[in-house]
Amino acid sequence: GLQDPDHLDHIVRSTWELEVANRLHRNDIEYEYEGLEINWVDDKIYTPDFVTEEYVIEVKGNLYGMSEEEKARATMKELDDREYVVVGTELPCDIHIPWEERDSLEELFSSQ
């Protein structure tokens, strides 16, 4: 559930999000939490979890229905200069990182 860690300037909605936030933090990567709004269908707004200069990162646990894929496709369509990274359950994206391989997130950052 919702957590408000002291070292972050935002809440997180899961332990997975917290771990990704910590990795960004640790690597001195500037990011905005839910800092991007994607219109995906019928004026619904989707806000991916983390937005950095080069990546938009979505942390995905369980999938709830087809709308997750629609949101992912809409995001890829809207992103011009950033890559869409999904950590956890696989969705349409530029880079998929299974949760058990989340260490490779750090490799993305070190190449920036």
Side-chain angles (χ1 to χ4, degrees):
L2 223 50
Q3 303 172 47
D4 188 5
D6 288 341
H7 63 289
L8 300 178
D9 59 6
H10 60 84
I11 55 162
V12 290
R13 299 175 200 285
S14 68
T15 52
W16 283 19
E17 281 189 15
L18 178 58
E19 179 161 341
V20 171
N22 285 341
R23 285 168 188 263
L24 290 163
H25 202 64
R26 217 173 28 236
N27 286 278
D28 292 322
I29 303 293
E30 287 192 17
Y31 68 89
E32 288 183 13
Y33 181 71
E34 296 185 350
L36 186 67
E37 295 194 337
I38 306 280
N39 293 303
W40 60 282
V41 68
D42 301 334
D43 294 332
K44 287 189 184 146
I45 303 280
Y46 155 59
T47 50
D49 297 321
F50 301 98
V51 180
T52 75
E53 198 176 333
E54 295 190 21
Y55 302 106
V56 172
I57 303 170
E58 174 67 19
V59 182
K60 219 5 110 192
N62 297 324
L63 295 187
Y64 304 100
M66 290 299 292
S67 64
E68 305 278 354
E69 289 198 6
E70 288 174 31
K71 284 190 253 188
R73 288 201 182 90
T75 303
M76 287 176 69
K77 254 199 290 230
E78 270 200 41
L79 297 181
D80 294 330
D81 48 353
R82 293 185 174 105
E83 290 191 288
Y84 186 49
V85 181
V86 174
V87 181
T89 305
E90 190 165 5
L91 282 169
C93 60
D94 297 307
I95 301 171
H96 173 240
I97 300 178
W99 185 247
E100 53 279 5
E101 293 168 26
R102 59 195 177 277
D103 286 352
S104 58
L105 250 184
E106 317 244 348
E107 290 159 29
L108 284 187
F109 307 144
S110 59
S111 66
Q112 283 197 11

Coordinates of all heavy atoms in Angstrom, one line a residue, residues 1-5 8 10-18 21 33-34 47-50 58-59:
G1 N 0.8 -1.2 0.0 CA 0.0 0.0 0.0 C 0.8 1.3 0.0 O 2.0 1.2 -0.3
L2 N 0.2 2.4 0.3 CA 0.8 3.7 0.3 C 1.9 3.8 1.3 O 1.7 3.5 2.5 CB -0.3 4.7 0.5 CG -0.4 6.0 -0.3 CD1 -0.3 5.6 -1.8 CD2 -1.6 6.7 0.0
Q3 N 3.0 4.4 0.9 CA 4.1 4.6 1.8 C 4.7 6.0 1.6 O 4.6 6.5 0.5 CB 5.2 3.6 1.7 CG 4.7 2.2 1.8 CD 5.8 1.2 1.4 OE1 6.9 1.3 1.9 NE2 5.5 0.2 0.6
D4 N 5.2 6.6 2.6 CA 5.7 8.0 2.5 C 7.1 8.0 3.1 O 7.3 8.4 4.3 CB 4.8 8.9 3.3 CG 5.2 10.4 3.1 OD1 6.1 10.6 2.2 OD2 4.6 11.3 3.7
P5 N 8.1 7.5 2.4 CA 9.5 7.4 3.0 C 10.1 8.8 3.1 O 9.9 9.6 2.3 CB 10.2 6.6 1.9 CG 9.3 6.2 0.8 CD 8.0 7.1 1.0
L8 N 12.4 10.4 0.3 CA 11.8 10.7 -1.0 C 10.9 11.9 -0.8 O 10.3 12.1 0.2 CB 11.0 9.5 -1.6 CG 11.8 8.2 -1.8 CD1 10.9 7.1 -2.3 CD2 13.0 8.4 -2.8
H10 N 8.1 12.2 -2.4 CA 6.8 11.8 -2.9 C 6.4 10.5 -2.2 O 7.3 9.8 -1.6 CB 6.8 11.6 -4.4 CG 7.8 10.5 -4.9 ND1 7.5 9.2 -4.9 CD2 9.1 10.6 -5.3 CE1 8.6 8.5 -5.3 NE2 9.5 9.3 -5.5
I11 N 5.2 10.1 -2.3 CA 4.7 8.9 -1.8 C 5.0 7.8 -2.8 O 5.2 8.1 -4.0 CB 3.2 8.9 -1.5 CG1 2.4 9.3 -2.7 CG2 2.8 9.8 -0.3 CD1 1.0 9.0 -2.7
V12 N 4.9 6.6 -2.4 CA 4.9 5.5 -3.4 C 3.8 4.5 -3.0 O 3.3 4.5 -1.9 CB 6.3 4.7 -3.3 CG1 7.4 5.5 -3.9 CG2 6.6 4.2 -1.9
R13 N 3.3 3.8 -4.1 CA 2.2 3.0 -3.9 C 2.4 1.5 -3.7 O 1.5 0.7 -3.5 CB 1.3 3.1 -5.1 CG 0.8 4.6 -5.4 CD 0.1 4.8 -6.7 NE 0.1 6.2 -7.0 CZ -0.6 7.1 -6.5 NH1 -1.4 6.8 -5.5 NH2 -0.6 8.4 -6.9
S14 N 3.7 1.1 -3.7 CA 4.0 -0.3 -3.4 C 5.5 -0.4 -3.0 O 6.3 0.5 -3.2 CB 3.8 -1.1 -4.7 OG 4.7 -0.8 -5.7
T15 N 5.8 -1.6 -2.5 CA 7.2 -1.8 -2.1 C 8.1 -1.9 -3.4 O 9.3 -1.5 -3.4 CB 7.4 -3.1 -1.4 OG1 6.8 -4.2 -2.1 CG2 6.8 -3.0 0.0
W16 N 7.5 -2.3 -4.5 CA 8.3 -2.4 -5.8 C 8.6 -1.0 -6.2 O 9.7 -0.7 -6.7 CB 7.5 -3.1 -6.9 CG 7.5 -4.6 -6.7 CD1 7.8 -5.3 -5.6 CD2 7.2 -5.6 -7.7 NE1 7.7 -6.7 -5.8 CE2 7.3 -6.8 -7.1 CE3 6.8 -5.5 -9.1 CZ2 7.1 -8.0 -7.9 CZ3 6.6 -6.6 -9.8 CH2 6.7 -7.9 -9.2
E17 N 7.6 -0.1 -6.2 CA 7.9 1.3 -6.5 C 8.9 1.9 -5.6 O 9.8 2.7 -6.1 CB 6.6 2.2 -6.4 CG 5.7 2.0 -7.6 CD 4.5 3.0 -7.6 OE1 4.6 4.0 -6.8 OE2 3.5 2.8 -8.3
L18 N 8.9 1.6 -4.4 CA 9.9 2.1 -3.4 C 11.3 1.7 -3.8 O 12.2 2.4 -3.8 CB 9.5 1.7 -2.0 CG 10.5 2.1 -0.9 CD1 10.6 3.6 -0.9 CD2 10.1 1.5 0.4
A21 N 12.4 3.6 -6.8 CA 12.7 5.0 -6.4 C 14.1 5.0 -5.7 O 14.9 5.9 -6.0 CB 11.6 5.5 -5.5
Y33 N 8.0 11.9 -10.2 CA 7.1 10.8 -9.9 C 5.7 11.1 -10.5 O 5.2 12.2 -10.2 CB 7.0 10.6 -8.4 CG 6.1 9.4 -8.0 CD1 6.5 8.1 -8.2 CD2 4.8 9.7 -7.4 CE1 5.6 7.1 -7.8 CE2 4.0 8.6 -7.0 CZ 4.4 7.3 -7.3 OH 3.6 6.3 -6.9
E34 N 5.2 10.2 -11.3 CA 3.9 10.5 -12.0 C 3.9 11.9 -12.7 O 2.9 12.6 -12.6 CB 2.8 10.3 -11.0 CG 2.7 8.8 -10.5 CD 1.5 8.5 -9.7 OE1 0.8 9.5 -9.3 OE2 1.2 7.3 -9.4
T47 N -0.8 8.0 -15.7 CA 0.4 8.6 -15.3 C 1.5 7.5 -15.0 O 1.3 6.9 -13.9 CB 0.2 9.5 -14.0 OG1 -0.5 8.7 -13.0 CG2 -0.6 10.7 -14.4
P48 N 2.4 7.3 -15.9 CA 3.5 6.3 -15.6 C 4.2 6.7 -14.3 O 4.2 7.9 -13.9 CB 4.4 6.4 -16.8 CG 3.6 7.1 -17.9 CD 2.6 8.0 -17.2
D49 N 4.8 5.8 -13.7 CA 5.4 6.0 -12.3 C 6.6 7.0 -12.3 O 6.5 7.9 -11.5 CB 5.9 4.6 -11.7 CG 4.7 3.7 -11.6 OD1 3.6 4.1 -11.2 OD2 4.8 2.5 -11.8
F50 N 7.6 6.7 -13.1 CA 8.8 7.5 -13.0 C 9.2 8.1 -14.4 O 9.2 7.4 -15.3 CB 10.0 6.7 -12.5 CG 9.7 6.1 -11.1 CD1 9.3 4.8 -11.0 CD2 9.9 6.9 -9.9 CE1 9.0 4.3 -9.7 CE2 9.6 6.3 -8.7 CZ 9.2 5.0 -8.6
E58 N 7.6 2.3 -15.8 CA 6.4 1.9 -15.2 C 6.7 0.6 -14.4 O 7.3 -0.3 -14.9 CB 5.3 1.5 -16.2 CG 4.0 0.9 -15.7 CD 3.2 1.8 -14.8 OE1 3.4 3.1 -14.9 OE2 2.4 1.3 -14.1
V59 N 6.3 0.6 -13.1 CA 6.5 -0.6 -12.3 C 5.2 -1.4 -12.3 O 4.2 -0.9 -11.9 CB 6.9 -0.2 -10.8 CG1 7.2 -1.4 -10.0 CG2 8.1 0.7 -10.9

